[in-house]
Structure formats: structure tokens, C-alpha cells
Amino acid sequence: DAKTTQPPSMDCAEGRAANLPCNHSTISGNEYVYWYRQIHSQGPQYIIHGLKNNETNEMASLIITEDRKSSTLILPHATLRDTAVYYCIVRGSLNNAGNMLTFGGGTRLMVKP
Amino acid sequence: SQTIHQWPATLVQPVGSPLSLECTVEGTSNPNLYWYRQAAGRGLQLLFYSIGIDQISSEVPQNLSASRPQDRQFILSSKKLLLSDSGFYLCAWSVGRDETQYFGPGTRLLVL
């Protein structure tokens, strides 16, 4: 599976955009980039995923570079409730028995008033 | 809409005791099901996954086992718990070609 590299922590002011970077230089052509977040003591929450094109939903935007070696998750107007650990994941390729997600250390985002 | 349940929410067990954690999914059929473990302050580790009833694949050799007696029920078990089994256990589901996995609320296990 391709691996990802994320900064261990970031701060963001409330109301400002939070830009979380992720490097995945060994990603394969058919592998998606997924983002999850985990608020303390809760299960991970799916945010967004993409393959090549930029994606946007009600939670966030995902910007993937043209060479697909890195991506950025953007929370356009961070709130205190967005404080969490954000995981960037490259989905493991399918095999006959299913697929898997490999979670690394993530980025601990602290949104401050 | 689909929902996923896990219980118990928290559990304190002595070393050497048995374990049974249950996960159920509602609102979908033939889901892929997963068990993950998260040690304190660390990322998630995939333990087991299942694409159907009685079809279980193990990712990490250990004293845990998993079973899927029904389509939407996934059980994590142990005959004798170790201290190292302490952690946050998460169940997840996905459907078909949609690779997105959705996680349950988790069970926090403390082995003393």
C-alpha cells in the first residue's frame, strides 16, 4: 500500500480556512485519496475522497496535485468543533477478500478562538 | 439510512478473561465488515475483514478471532485477554464497489 506523510499538528484560527497537507508520492494510478477525521473518543468520520479531480462536499474541499503525489484538505471556515485528528489515507488495492484502509498518525488540528 | 452499532461502549476486563464485542449494521445488505484496533495515541490497525457470512480474513496474527454469523453482524472474540489487548476497537462497513468505510462509535477496552 502507498504511504502518506502528514504534519503531526497544526493550529487554525476559528473562522479561517484550515489547509491540511498530505504527501503520497508512491500512490498508484488506481488508488484513491481518502480523508477521515477523529474527534477524541469517537470513531473516525468520513470526510471526502478523490482520485484525480478536485472534490467538494458540504464538509470540505480536496485539492489533488496534477501528479497526484500530494493533496490538501481544506475546511473553508473552521469552527471549534473541527478540532480533531485528520487522517489522509491512500486506499489499499482491492483483492478477492475486500479492501482496507491504512491509517497513519494523522494531523492533530487545533482550532483556536 | 445506514447505521452501525457497537457494544458495549466501554469494558474493563481482567487478564485471562474472555471477550466478546458485537457490531451490527442496519439499513444495508451484504456489507463488507471490518474490525480495527487503535492503541492510545496511535493510528488504526486493521484486524479482520469479512465480505460475507462466515468469510473472515485476518490481517494480524494474535489471540483475537472474529465471526460473522449473520449478514449484518460481526463479532470480535478472545478466549483469554492479554494486557496488550487494551485499546479502542472500531467496527466499520462498506458496500460493493464504493470503497468508503463508515465507522461505528467504538468500544474502549481496558485489560487489567
Side-chain angles (χ1 to χ4, degrees):
Chain A
D1 292 347
K3 295 182 179 179
T4 62
T5 303
Q6 299 177 254
S9 63
M10 290 182 62
D11 290 343
C12 178
E14 187 179 19
R16 303 297 294 270
N19 297 284
L20 291 90
C22 180
N23 288 323
H24 32 79
S25 59
T26 60
I27 191 171
S28 299
N30 62 347
E31 291 180 319
Y32 285 77
V33 179
Y34 276 77
W35 284 84
Y36 285 78
R37 72 180 181 184
Q38 188 173 23
I39 297 171
H40 183 62
S41 297
Q42 298 182 22
Q45 178 188 23
Y46 165 76
I47 301 174
I48 199 168
H49 73 283
L51 182 64
K52 296 180 180 179
N53 300 321
N54 298 335
E55 302 288 343
T56 296
N57 63 20
E58 65 279 5
M59 291 183 65
S61 294
L62 174 61
I63 308 299
I64 302 174
T65 58
E66 190 170 348
D67 63 8
R68 301 207 329 122
K69 293 184 177 182
S70 65
S71 61
T72 301
L73 179 74
I74 300 173
L75 307 178
H77 305 286
T79 69
L80 298 179
R81 289 177 295 179
D82 292 322
T83 292
V85 178
Y86 287 77
Y87 294 99
C88 169
I89 300 155
V90 172
R91 190 201 71 204
S93 56
L94 279 172
N95 55 39
N96 289 332
N99 71 89
M100 60 193 71
L101 300 174
T102 302
F103 284 71
T107 295
R108 185 172 299 276
L109 176 68
M110 179 71 70
V111 181
K112 298 182 176 181
Chain B
S1 64
Q2 300 88 358
T3 56
I4 179 169
H5 305 278
Q6 287 187 245
W7 65 88
T10 59
L11 190 60
V12 181
Q13 291 285 97
V15 170
S17 63
L19 173 73
S20 181
L21 303 181
E22 189 162 346
C23 169
T24 59
V25 180
E26 297 177 354
T28 186
S29 297
N30 302 316
N32 299 317
L33 296 173
Y34 311 83
W35 276 113
Y36 289 86
R37 177 172 61 200
Q38 184 176 35
R42 306 188 67 177
L44 275 68
Q45 177 188 37
L46 179 66
L47 302 175
F48 301 94
Y49 61 93
S50 170
I51 63 169
I53 295 174
D54 294 330
Q55 299 179 68
I56 311 293
S57 296
S58 174
E59 289 300 300
V60 181
Q62 56 208 323
N63 68 319
L64 300 173
S65 62
S67 61
R68 185 170 175 176
Q70 301 180 43
D71 179 47
R72 289 168 287 179
Q73 183 185 31
F74 206 22
I75 298 172
L76 183 69
S77 302
S78 175
K79 293 182 179 179
K80 289 185 178 182
L81 284 169
L82 306 173
L83 289 174
S84 57
D85 291 325
S86 294
F88 192 38
Y89 288 83
L90 290 153
C91 182
W93 67 273
S94 67
V95 177
R97 297 293 296 186
D98 181 355
E99 307 299 344
T100 302
Q101 293 182 21
Y102 300 93
F103 288 82
T107 294
R108 194 163 299 280
L109 172 67
L110 179 60
V111 182
L112 300 175

